[in-house]
Protein backbone atom coordinates (compact mmCIF):
# COMPACT_ATOMS: atom_id res chain seq x y z
CA UNK A 1 0.00 0.00 0.00
CA UNK A 2 1.39 3.40 -0.90
CA UNK A 3 2.65 5.70 1.85
CA UNK A 4 -0.21 8.17 1.43
CA UNK A 5 -2.97 5.53 1.46
CA UNK A 6 -3.37 5.52 5.26
CA UNK A 7 -3.90 9.31 5.61
CA UNK A 8 -6.11 9.20 2.52
CA UNK A 9 -8.36 6.52 4.03
CA UNK A 10 -8.38 8.42 7.32
CA UNK A 11 -9.52 11.51 5.43
CA UNK A 12 -12.53 9.69 4.01
CA UNK A 13 -13.34 8.09 7.32
CA UNK A 14 -13.36 11.58 8.84
CA UNK A 15 -15.53 12.89 6.03
CA UNK A 16 -18.06 10.12 6.48
CA UNK A 17 -18.14 10.51 10.24
CA UNK A 18 -18.15 14.29 10.13
CA UNK A 19 -21.15 14.58 7.91
CA UNK A 20 -23.21 11.65 9.14
CA UNK A 21 -25.71 14.00 10.79
CA UNK A 22 -26.69 15.41 7.39
CA UNK A 23 -28.34 12.20 6.31
CA UNK A 24 -32.08 12.45 5.93
CA UNK A 25 -33.59 8.96 5.64
CA UNK A 26 -30.69 7.91 3.40
CA UNK A 27 -27.63 7.03 5.46
CA UNK A 28 -26.53 4.43 2.90
CA UNK A 29 -25.82 7.07 0.23
CA UNK A 30 -23.61 10.13 0.73
CA UNK A 31 -24.23 11.05 4.38
CA UNK A 32 -22.75 14.52 4.02
CA UNK A 33 -25.23 15.54 1.33
CA UNK A 34 -28.78 16.64 1.92
CA UNK A 35 -31.34 14.27 0.48
CA UNK A 36 -32.18 15.25 -3.09
CA UNK A 37 -29.27 17.71 -3.26
CA UNK A 38 -28.78 19.21 -6.72
CA UNK A 39 -25.49 19.47 -8.59
CA UNK A 40 -23.45 22.50 -9.51
CA UNK A 41 -23.54 23.18 -13.23
CA UNK A 42 -19.90 22.11 -13.66
CA UNK A 43 -18.27 18.76 -14.17
CA UNK A 44 -15.24 17.97 -12.03
CA UNK A 45 -12.89 18.35 -15.01
CA UNK A 46 -14.36 21.78 -15.90
CA UNK A 47 -14.07 22.86 -12.27
CA UNK A 48 -10.48 21.65 -11.97
CA UNK A 49 -9.41 23.39 -15.18
CA UNK A 50 -10.97 26.70 -14.11
CA UNK A 51 -9.72 26.39 -10.51
CA UNK A 52 -6.13 25.70 -11.63
CA UNK A 53 -6.25 28.60 -14.09
CA UNK A 54 -7.57 31.00 -11.43
CA UNK A 55 -5.25 29.69 -8.67
CA UNK A 56 -1.90 28.78 -10.28
CA UNK A 57 -0.18 28.58 -6.86
CA UNK A 58 -2.85 26.21 -5.52
CA UNK A 59 -3.02 23.37 -8.05
CA UNK A 60 -5.54 20.57 -7.80
CA UNK A 61 -4.40 17.27 -9.25
CA UNK A 62 -6.61 14.86 -11.10
CA UNK A 63 -9.51 13.48 -9.07
CA UNK A 64 -9.61 9.71 -8.88
CA UNK A 65 -12.78 7.72 -8.27
CA UNK A 66 -13.02 5.90 -4.97
CA UNK A 67 -14.90 2.62 -4.81
CA UNK A 68 -17.32 2.68 -1.93
CA UNK A 69 -20.05 0.29 -0.91
CA UNK A 70 -22.05 3.35 0.20
CA UNK A 71 -22.18 4.86 -3.28
CA UNK A 72 -25.44 4.67 -5.16
CA UNK A 73 -26.18 4.23 -8.85
CA UNK A 74 -26.40 8.04 -9.08
CA UNK A 75 -23.35 9.04 -7.01
CA UNK A 76 -19.58 8.72 -7.40
CA UNK A 77 -16.91 9.83 -4.95
CA UNK A 78 -13.51 11.06 -6.02
CA UNK A 79 -10.45 12.57 -4.36
CA UNK A 80 -7.22 14.36 -5.11
CA UNK A 81 -4.21 14.39 -2.82
CA UNK A 82 -2.74 17.89 -2.54
CA UNK A 83 0.03 16.96 -0.11
CA UNK A 84 0.63 14.63 2.84
CA UNK A 85 -1.91 16.35 5.05
CA UNK A 86 -4.29 18.07 2.61
CA UNK A 87 -6.91 16.48 0.37
CA UNK A 88 -9.69 17.60 -1.94
CA UNK A 89 -12.66 15.29 -2.28
CA UNK A 90 -15.95 15.46 -4.07
CA UNK A 91 -19.29 13.74 -4.56
CA UNK A 92 -20.26 13.62 -8.22
CA UNK A 93 -23.43 12.94 -10.13
CA UNK A 94 -22.75 9.65 -11.88
CA UNK A 95 -22.72 9.93 -15.65
CA UNK A 96 -22.32 13.72 -15.92
CA UNK A 97 -19.65 13.95 -13.19
CA UNK A 98 -21.22 17.25 -12.07
CA UNK A 99 -20.23 18.33 -8.57
CA UNK A 100 -22.71 17.72 -5.75
CA UNK A 101 -20.25 18.54 -2.95
CA UNK A 102 -16.65 19.76 -2.86
CA UNK A 103 -14.52 19.38 0.25
CA UNK A 104 -11.05 20.30 1.42
CA UNK A 105 -9.78 18.27 4.39
CA UNK A 106 -6.72 19.18 6.43
CA UNK A 107 -5.15 16.59 8.69
CA UNK A 108 -3.19 18.58 11.31
CA UNK A 109 0.48 17.86 11.77
CA UNK A 110 2.66 18.54 14.79
CA UNK A 111 5.93 20.38 14.79
CA UNK A 112 7.41 23.45 13.18
CA UNK A 113 5.60 22.92 9.85
CA UNK A 114 2.12 23.06 11.44
CA UNK A 115 1.60 26.82 10.99
CA UNK A 116 2.61 26.79 7.30
CA UNK A 117 0.55 23.64 6.64
CA UNK A 118 -2.56 25.19 8.19
CA UNK A 119 -2.01 28.43 6.24
CA UNK A 120 -1.84 26.40 3.00
CA UNK A 121 -5.04 24.54 3.94
CA UNK A 122 -6.83 27.84 4.61
CA UNK A 123 -5.64 29.16 1.22
CA UNK A 124 -7.21 26.16 -0.51
CA UNK A 125 -10.43 26.44 1.51
CA UNK A 126 -10.71 30.14 0.69
CA UNK A 127 -10.05 29.46 -3.01
CA UNK A 128 -12.75 26.74 -3.05
CA UNK A 129 -15.18 29.15 -1.38
CA UNK A 130 -14.35 31.79 -4.00
CA UNK A 131 -14.67 29.29 -6.86
CA UNK A 132 -18.30 28.66 -5.97
CA UNK A 133 -19.03 32.25 -4.87
CA UNK A 134 -17.16 34.27 -7.52
CA UNK A 135 -18.65 37.61 -6.41
CA UNK A 136 -16.32 37.51 -3.38
CA UNK A 137 -12.88 39.05 -3.61
CA UNK A 138 -9.89 37.17 -2.20
CA UNK A 139 -10.05 39.22 1.02
CA UNK A 140 -13.82 38.73 1.33
CA UNK A 141 -13.53 34.96 0.83
CA UNK A 142 -10.83 34.79 3.53
CA UNK A 143 -13.05 36.76 5.93
CA UNK A 144 -16.06 34.56 5.13
CA UNK A 145 -13.99 31.42 5.68
CA UNK A 146 -12.69 32.69 9.04
CA UNK A 147 -16.26 33.47 10.13
CA UNK A 148 -17.41 29.98 9.14
CA UNK A 149 -14.44 28.29 10.84
CA UNK A 150 -15.00 30.34 14.01
CA UNK A 151 -18.71 29.39 14.03
CA UNK A 152 -17.79 25.73 13.53
CA UNK A 153 -14.94 25.64 16.05
CA UNK A 154 -15.09 22.54 18.27
CA UNK A 155 -18.44 21.48 16.79
CA UNK A 156 -18.99 18.16 15.09
CA UNK A 157 -20.33 20.15 12.17
CA UNK A 158 -21.63 23.60 11.36
CA UNK A 159 -23.67 24.49 8.28
CA UNK A 160 -24.63 27.90 6.95
CA UNK A 161 -26.80 28.56 3.91
CA UNK A 162 -26.36 31.59 1.70
CA UNK A 163 -28.61 31.75 -1.35
CA UNK A 164 -28.34 28.47 -3.25
CA UNK A 165 -25.09 27.42 -1.51
CA UNK A 166 -24.49 25.65 1.78
CA UNK A 167 -21.12 25.93 3.50
CA UNK A 168 -20.21 23.15 5.92
CA UNK A 169 -17.42 23.01 8.51
CA UNK A 170 -16.57 19.80 10.34
CA UNK A 171 -13.98 20.48 13.04
CA UNK A 172 -12.60 17.29 14.55
CA UNK A 173 -9.76 19.02 16.35
CA UNK A 174 -6.52 17.07 16.05
CA UNK A 175 -8.22 14.51 13.79
CA UNK A 176 -8.88 16.99 11.03
CA UNK A 177 -10.80 19.94 9.65
CA UNK A 178 -13.08 19.74 6.62
CA UNK A 179 -14.64 22.62 4.71
CA UNK A 180 -17.33 21.81 2.14
CA UNK A 181 -19.40 23.73 -0.39
CA UNK A 182 -22.66 22.24 -1.65
CA UNK A 183 -25.56 23.48 -3.78
CA UNK A 184 -29.07 23.38 -2.33
CA UNK A 185 -32.50 23.51 -3.86
CA UNK A 186 -34.28 26.81 -3.48
CA UNK A 187 -38.01 26.78 -2.73
CA UNK A 188 -40.37 29.67 -3.18
CA UNK A 189 -42.03 30.78 0.02
CA UNK A 190 -45.83 30.48 0.23
CA UNK A 191 -46.14 34.26 0.10
CA UNK A 192 -44.16 34.48 -3.14
CA UNK A 193 -45.92 31.46 -4.62
CA UNK A 194 -49.34 32.99 -3.88
CA UNK A 195 -48.39 36.29 -5.50
CA UNK A 196 -47.95 34.68 -8.92
Amino acid sequence: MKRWAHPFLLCFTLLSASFSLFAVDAPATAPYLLQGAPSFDQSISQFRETFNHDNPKLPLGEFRAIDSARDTPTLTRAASKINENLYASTALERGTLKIKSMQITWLPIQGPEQKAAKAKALEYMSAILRAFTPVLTKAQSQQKLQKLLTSGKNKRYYAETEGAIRYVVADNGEKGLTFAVEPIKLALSDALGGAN
Side-chain angles (χ1 to χ4, degrees):
M1 194 177 270
K2 291 187 179 180
R3 183 176 158 206
W4 60 270
H6 179 68
F8 188 69
L9 292 173
L10 177 62
C11 169
F12 280 98
T13 302
L14 287 171
L15 279 175
S16 296
S18 298
F19 294 104
S20 63
L21 291 178
F22 291 128
V24 181
D25 299 325
T29 60
Y32 48 89
L33 294 173
L34 292 175
Q35 184 176 0
S39 299
F40 286 112
D41 196 26
Q42 265 187 327
S43 71
I44 190 63
S45 57
Q46 291 168 330
F47 169 79
R48 190 174 151 262
E49 183 179 330
T50 302
F51 183 89
N52 286 343
H53 178 268
D54 294 345
N55 302 283
K57 293 183 180 179
L58 303 172
L60 283 177
E62 186 176 335
F63 282 78
R64 304 217 183 264
I66 299 165
D67 291 329
S68 173
R70 293 190 343 244
D71 285 356
T72 69
T74 60
L75 184 71
T76 298
R77 296 171 203 238
S80 177
K81 178 182 172 185
I82 298 167
N83 62 38
E84 293 301 318
N85 63 324
L86 191 58
Y87 299 86
S89 56
T90 185
L92 305 170
E93 182 178 78
R94 193 165 292 205
T96 66
L97 298 182
K98 288 186 177 177
I99 300 168
K100 294 180 85 56
S101 178
M102 178 62 71
Q103 304 96 27
I104 295 289
T105 298
W106 177 56
L107 303 174
I109 58 173
Q110 301 302 315
E113 300 91 22
Q114 182 178 23
K115 189 174 181 179
K118 184 172 185 180
K120 181 61 77 177
L122 295 179
E123 281 185 71
Y124 270 94
M125 290 175 185
S126 178
I128 291 290
L129 193 153
R130 199 169 48 258
F132 290 102
T133 315
V135 296
L136 296 179
T137 65
K138 186 174 183 177
Q140 289 170 328
S141 67
Q142 290 168 340
Q143 290 171 349
K144 176 78 172 169
L145 177 65
Q146 283 305 317
K147 180 181 172 239
L148 291 164
L149 295 178
T150 299
S151 297
K153 184 83 173 150
N154 299 321
K155 293 181 183 174
R156 184 168 179 197
Y157 76 93
Y158 171 79
E160 183 177 300
T161 300
E162 188 173 287
I165 295 179
R166 181 169 75 131
Y167 304 107
V168 182
V169 173
D171 186 350
N172 290 298
E174 292 184 12
K175 293 182 180 177
L177 173 67
T178 298
F179 173 71
V181 180
E182 302 175 349
I184 59 169
K185 287 183 179 177
L186 293 178
L188 292 176
S189 71
D190 291 336
L192 288 176
N196 290 332

